[in-house]
Amino acid sequence: MTILLLALGCNGPPDVPAFQQNVAYRDGQQEGEPNSGERGSVKISEILWAGAVRNDGTYDPSDVFIELRNESARPVNVSYWQIQLEGTHAQTFVIPEVDWKIGVGEHVFIAHKTNGCFPNADWVMPELELPSYGDPFRLTLRDADERLMEPAGDKYMPPFAGGYDLRVSRSMEKAELMFGARGGEPHAWHYYTEAEVDVPNNDLIAEGCRERTLASPGRPNSPDYSGSFSSGEAF
């Protein structure tokens, strides 16, 4: 399933879905209709902004992903939700219509391509580009009616975590047990950490990339440096 970038404007074309013509609470019960979100109900929970590294050391700065986590008490259809990128580059990505919902506590992720280190992404967005060399950026998740869910990062500061050290690439993960921490605050994030767990959380990374691309796309995040484990199930 390939993501398409939808143009945003003041007046939509005739084929704009009916839900976009009026702003109201969306229960997601109508065919093709998204759910409305409440602040913090769905969050950006992980960002691999620095690119991926294959086991043989080949580095691809374009091979990035963004993970979402449903922290609400109900499944959520994120059709037509927006991810806004600000910083050294500005762009808005729109998730197209999907016929499924993100389950409660579930992680899903959007990748730039299928032929890289993340062949099993929930969505593929060829337009997805992130600053890969430490430039400031902020991602802001909004629902289909542009209600703010939560930001991740700061458009005036370098990324809070993650990066590429010429050997391995690590993602920027949200500390999921830090209640009250917001995505725009540095202490809410940490580098992906390798930990001995019963169920691996890197199984959605291609086998040829797992040694040098350290991340947990589509799975609960790794423990932070305090030793606190993230909540949720791996499967």
Side-chain angles (χ1 to χ4, degrees):
M1 177 163 41
T2 302
I3 283 284
L4 298 177
L5 183 64
L6 303 182
L8 298 181
C10 296
N11 298 309
D15 59 350
V16 167
F19 78 84
Q20 290 184 329
Q21 298 174 11
N22 298 290
V23 176
Y25 187 84
R26 319 291 178 188
D27 60 12
Q29 298 303 308
Q30 302 298 319
E31 183 177 355
E33 181 185 55
N35 283 105
S36 291
E38 295 83 28
R39 183 76 64 89
S41 61
V42 180
K43 296 182 178 180
I44 296 174
S45 53
E46 184 174 6
I47 307 167
L48 182 71
W49 55 266
V53 188
R54 294 188 175 275
N55 295 347
D56 63 6
T58 303
Y59 173 54
D60 183 354
S62 71
D63 200 2
V64 297
F65 72 76
I66 299 171
E67 180 188 78
L68 307 179
R69 172 179 163 84
N70 179 8
E71 297 193 357
S72 70
R74 62 192 175 97
V76 178
N77 182 327
V78 296
S79 297
Y80 305 108
W81 282 36
Q82 303 174 21
I83 299 176
Q84 298 174 344
L85 170 65
E86 300 172 277
T88 55
H89 177 67
Q91 190 169 355
T92 296
F93 306 103
V94 180
I95 300 175
E97 181 181 335
V98 293
D99 60 1
W100 49 271
K101 297 185 177 185
I102 306 174
V104 175
E106 185 179 1
H107 300 73
V108 296
F109 74 106
I110 304 163
H112 169 65
K113 57 186 178 182
T114 58
N115 60 350
C117 291
F118 313 106
N120 299 307
D122 296 281
W123 298 281
V124 175
M125 184 182 290
E127 298 83 6
L128 180 62
E129 296 182 5
L130 300 175
S132 58
Y133 297 104
D135 292 331
F137 73 87
R138 177 174 66 193
L139 296 175
T140 302
L141 180 66
R142 296 180 181 273
D143 74 5
D145 293 314
E146 300 189 24
R147 298 181 181 93
L148 174 65
M149 298 299 102
E150 191 184 47
D154 189 306
K155 62 181 178 180
Y156 301 113
M157 296 176 60
F160 297 149
Y164 171 56
D165 63 4
L166 303 182
R167 189 180 68 87
V168 302
S169 176
R170 292 179 186 269
S171 68
M172 170 175 151
E173 287 189 326
K174 189 83 179 290
E176 292 177 354
L177 285 186
M178 191 175 290
F179 298 106
R182 298 182 178 180
E185 300 171 345
H187 65 271
W189 299 88
H190 64 90
Y191 289 78
Y192 175 88
T193 60
E194 296 177 278
E196 294 184 6
V197 294
D198 294 334
V199 179
N201 65 356
N202 66 345
D203 59 303
L204 294 181
I205 299 176
E207 290 188 14
C209 302
R210 292 178 189 172
E211 293 178 9
R212 294 176 181 254
T213 299
L214 308 182
S216 58
R219 301 299 187 213
N221 291 346
S222 62
D224 63 26
Y225 287 101
S226 71
S228 298
F229 281 83
S230 300
S231 60
E233 298 293 332
F235 295 98

